[in-house]
């Protein structure tokens, strides 16, 4: 019996969400008195994989088949199933990402496992049951779920675990092959198009986000958002109407019908705080709201607020961050 | 082309969520249920493709009789017929088995779903159905086009998208900006009343997960306001008090 964690890599680096997954997996392994092995997908370097030792991982399996560089649902599923078999893994931990949930849901059927997605805490195992807490109702609630199958698959919500810092620990990296056939690549991409990232920070992975709404008045004012984001090392986001009218690209739109983010810091500038917007951001640890209307509903969901004009307040904040650094 | 569109019945996006006193179920009193918003993209795209290429659109819901108004709504939007699997959808794998069984019976070419249900946020039924049927799942897709037997899709990945081509039957989960979801018109509402809605009983294995308790998030302490004149103080608080920068 062991724990298998699925680590996503991009441009050689292990994604931050996957460091959290590795940390989660090794802590579960410790609770159960066993070890955690990782299987890595995407483009990785040996040195970065070895550094997963810091997350309490003893061994990393990696198949450097070049066809696995980009996401292929069929092939990734087969690779991870083979790794789970080799390691006699009873528990598989992956990120609650597009890749993690796509693979996890297929694996749960193939391995006859209980699956819980959107998990926010380490499991409770007292009383012989295995219980995880997961987010539900688009950030408006949580549920405790018993995973009753012998095998369990857990998709961990981003930013709900802290990575560990076992400095100096390294994992051994082993070449691993799952004997993939052409049929496993039925959904292989013909082309991969990556977005341009402002400041190189990916919104779903960001731990700080500066977000703008209709109160920003027009796309020409977004330099105010970008300047603060840059000073803070944050990603930029927006409300739905802003992307609907193409002030900002669709992939920056957060909320019920956009992406869900749960950063440590979310700064909302000129956003009213409609319930559908809150659904995508309300699990952020600290929410700051800047709005000229003291009655804006967002203040009810905020930790800090400034009643004021974004055009006046944002430059002051950027300046203050620069002074602090 | 035979399209199967799976729709989930969910609380309206503006619902204030509360639970029954034992915290074991959603308190449905006063809650307005709607077609899961993502499933409206699946439904509309299926209807658009049918209008272009010919064929048939079936909607399917796993739920008890109280979901029928939303099934009729899907028929009013333009689906041709409907299936309701008469069961409480208590676990995603259970739901997936019902969809897979219906899909096998009906010989559908494309099974369309939403990217996630906005109530249980599982992000999983589409992958499970693909695996149960042994066919590819493309999730979540922002674009779906058909040319002969080949479908071209845009699949969203973190930080970008992949262009994927699949042929033969497949499952797709839909999200914006795939299409502009349609609303029913008067004629649709009239004809929906007489379109076939078949009720079938569930099959398959027992669920592998059980919800034991729901909880609301802890209440916020209340907002701390900083005067606009001394906006810079906010940054000090974020560093020294909240410790997030
Ligand atoms: C089914 C459905 C799904 C939806 N999904 C989403 C979603 O995923 N994400 C989302 O964001 N929305 C979503 N919406 C839309 C949502 O209901 C709101 O309409 C939207 O969030 C409002 O965007 P906003 O706050 O930018 O604009 P507004 O509501 O217009 O708010 C602008 C705010 O800016 C303030 N303001 C104006 N000028 C200034 C200034 N100079 N300085 C400071 N403040 C200023 C105003 O006081 C106001 O509060 C959805 C709606 C529906 C019906
Ligand atoms: C009384 C009750 C008890 C529950 N207990 C549990 C529990 O113990 N464990 C648990 O995991 N869940 C439980 N649920 C959640 C329920 O099983 C969900 O409907 C199911 O998990 C699917 O939701 P999802 O978020 O996983 O779907 P997702 O994977 O997010 O949905 C993706 C797509 O699948 C399709 N789809 C989803 N549900 C249906 C449906 N019912 N009919 C047709 N198509 C559908 C839609 O196209 C949807 O967009 C319970 C629900 C109820 C009402």
């Amino acid at each position: 019996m062991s724990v298998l964690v699925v680590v996503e890599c991009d441009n050689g680096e292990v994604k931050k969400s996957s460091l959290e997954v590795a940390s989660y997996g090794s802590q579960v392994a410790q609770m159960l008195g066993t070890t955690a092995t990782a299987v890595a997908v995407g483009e990785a370097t040996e040195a970065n994989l070895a550094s997963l030792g810091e997350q309490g991982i003893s061994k990393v399996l990696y198949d450097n088949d070049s066809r696995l560089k980009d996401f292929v649902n069929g092939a990734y599923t087969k690779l991870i199933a083979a790794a789970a078999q080799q390691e006699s893994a009873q528990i598989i931990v992956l990120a609650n990402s597009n890749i993690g949930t796509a693979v996890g849901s297929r694996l749960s059927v193939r391995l006859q496992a209980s699956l819980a997605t959107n998990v926010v805490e380490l499991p409770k195992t007292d009383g012989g049951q295995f219980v995880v807490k997961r987010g539900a109702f688009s950030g408006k609630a949580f549920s405790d779920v018993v995973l009753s199958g012998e095998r369990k698959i857990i998709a961990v919500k981003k930013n709900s675990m802290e990575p560990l810092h076992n400095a100096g620990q390294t994992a051994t990296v082993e070449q691993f092959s799952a004997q993939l056939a052409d049929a496993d690549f039925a959904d292989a991409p013909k082309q991969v198009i990556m977005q341009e990232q402002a400041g190189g920070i990916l919104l779903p992975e960001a731990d700080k986000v500066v977000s703008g709404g209709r109160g920003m008045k027009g796309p020409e004012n977004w330099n105010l958002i970008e300047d603060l984001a840059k000073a803070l090392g944050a990603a930029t986001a927006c409300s739905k109407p802003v992307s609907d009218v193409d002030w900002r690209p669709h992939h920056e739109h957060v909320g019920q019908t956009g992406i869900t983010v749960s950063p440590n810091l979310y700064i909302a500038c000129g956003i009213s705080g409609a319930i559908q917007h809150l659904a995508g951001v309300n699990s952020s640890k600290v929410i700051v709201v800047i709005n000229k209307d003291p009655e804006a509903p967002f203040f009810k969901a905020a930790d800090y607020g400034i009643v004021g004009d974004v055009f006046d307040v944002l430059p002051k904040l950027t300046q203050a961050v620069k002074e602090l650094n | 082309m035979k399209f199967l569109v799976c729709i989930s019945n969910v609380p309206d996006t503006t619902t204030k969520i509360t639970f029954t006193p034992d915290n074991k179920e959603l308190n449905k009193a006063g809650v307005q249920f709607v077609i899961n918003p993502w499933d409206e993209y699946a439904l509309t795209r299926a209807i658009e493709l049918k209008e272009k290429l010919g064929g048939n659109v079936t909607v399917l819901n796993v739920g008890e009789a109280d979901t029928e108004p939303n099934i009729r709504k899907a028929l009013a939007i333009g689906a041709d017929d409907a299936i309701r699997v008469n069961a409480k959808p208590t676990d995603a794998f259970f739901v997936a088995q019902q969809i897979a069984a219906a899909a096998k019976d009906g010989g559908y070419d494309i099974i369309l779903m939403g990217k996630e249900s906005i109530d249980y946020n599982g992000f999983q039924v589409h992958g499970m159905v693909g695996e149960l049927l042994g066919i590819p799942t493309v999730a979540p897709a922002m674009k779906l086009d058909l040319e002969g037997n080949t479908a071209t899709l845009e699949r969203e990945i973190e930080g970008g998208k992949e262009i994927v081509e699949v042929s033969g039957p497949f499952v797709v989960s839909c999200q914006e900006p795939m299409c502009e979801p349609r609303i029913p018109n008067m004629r649709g509402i009239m004809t929906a009343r007489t379109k076939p809605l078949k009720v079938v009983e569930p099959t398959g294995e027992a669920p592998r997960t059980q919800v034991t308790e729901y909880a609301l998030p802890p209440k916020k302490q209340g907002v701390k306001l900083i005067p606009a004149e001394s906006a810079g103080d906010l940054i000090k608080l974020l560093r020294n008090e909240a410790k997030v920068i």
Side-chain angles (χ1 to χ4, degrees), chain B residues 9-245:
Chain B
N9 193 55
V10 302
D12 173 39
T13 56
T14 57
T15 308
K16 186 163 183 290
I17 298 294
T18 59
F19 299 103
T20 51
D22 61 0
N23 285 325
K24 288 200 183 302
E25 272 190 58
L26 175 71
N27 177 8
K28 290 187 177 175
V31 173
Q32 168 85 22
F33 281 82
V34 297
I35 299 174
N36 185 37
W38 300 114
D39 304 353
E40 294 184 356
Y41 288 87
L43 176 61
T44 300
R45 191 63 190 138
I47 295 166
E48 287 174 357
L49 290 168
K50 178 200 116 169
E51 286 168 354
K52 201 170 123 201
L53 306 165
N56 186 80
V57 177
T58 302
V59 285
L60 178 141
N61 168 260
V62 182
E64 295 177 298
D66 59 356
T67 69
E68 288 198 4
N70 280 327
I71 299 178
R72 288 282 171 209
K73 186 177 171 200
L75 292 170
I77 290 171
D80 298 293
D81 50 66
I83 303 170
R84 181 172 66 82
V85 181
N86 184 29
K88 214 171 193 166
T90 55
D91 154 281
F93 176 62
F94 173 79
V95 171
Q97 291 182 96
Q98 311 315 319
I99 297 173
K104 256 192 208 134
D105 275 356
Y108 295 94
D109 300 293
I110 305 183
I111 303 167
L112 299 96
M113 304 189 190
K115 82 162 176 177
E116 64 169 327
S117 79
I118 65 162
D119 50 1
Y120 297 97
N121 306 114
F123 240 107
Q124 54 193 350
V125 173
H126 21 75
M128 290 174 171
V129 171
E131 185 71 19
L132 284 165
L133 296 172
I135 59 178
T137 296
V138 180
M142 301 189 287
K143 207 170 167 179
L144 163 62
D145 287 314
L146 287 176
E147 197 74 63
N149 194 29
T150 304
T152 306
L153 302 109
E154 277 183 19
R155 168 164 68 199
E156 184 174 54
I157 50 173
E158 273 80 8
K161 59 189 176 189
E162 294 184 342
I163 314 294
V164 178
E165 270 175 27
V166 286
S167 43
F170 65 93
V171 180
V172 55
S173 84
C174 306
Q175 66 160 324
E176 62 165 12
M178 183 174 282
C179 57
E180 195 52 53
R182 291 187 190 176
I183 51 172
N185 59 27
M186 210 49 210
R187 202 175 136 259
I189 294 167
M190 300 301 287
T191 54
R193 291 195 196 137
T194 54
K195 286 180 179 172
L197 192 172
K198 189 169 79 178
V199 178
V200 301
E201 291 306 314
T203 61
E205 295 168 35
R208 297 185 187 126
T209 65
Q210 296 80 33
V211 172
T212 51
E213 193 177 302
Y214 289 99
L216 296 172
K219 280 229 158 42
K220 287 264 177 193
Q221 296 288 314
V223 59
K224 190 178 231 177
L225 290 176
I226 294 100
E229 305 78 65
S230 44
D233 289 353
L234 170 68
I235 299 301
K236 292 189 196 115
L237 286 168
L238 291 178
R239 165 146 310 174
N240 302 324
E241 189 177 84
K243 300 192 168 49
V244 287
I245 60 173

Side-chain angles (χ1 to χ4, degrees), chain A residues 152-175:
Chain A
K152 305 164 206 327
I153 302 178
I154 300 170
V156 181
K157 185 174 179 183
K158 288 164 199 169
N159 259 323
S160 38
M161 290 302 292
E162 287 292 330
L164 302 173
H165 299 282
N166 297 320
Q169 303 271 54
T170 55
T172 55
V173 181
E174 282 178 18
Q175 169 64 24

Side-chain angles (χ1 to χ4, degrees), chain A residues 214 217 239-240 253-254 256-257 272 276-277 291 309-310:
Chain A
R214 275 213 299 228
K217 301 286 192 290
S239 68
K240 181 171 167 19
H253 150 203
V254 293
Q256 185 122 38
T257 50
S272 57
Q276 298 94 348
H277 185 85
N291 196 304
D309 188 328
V310 283

Side-chain angles (χ1 to χ4, degrees), chain A residues 90-113:
Chain A
Q90 211 112 50
I91 297 179
I92 301 175
V93 187
L94 22 72
N96 198 65
S97 59
N98 287 348
I99 294 176
T101 52
V103 171
S105 53
R106 289 196 88 98
L107 276 177
S108 72
V109 172
R110 200 170 299 183
L111 304 177
Q112 298 182 305

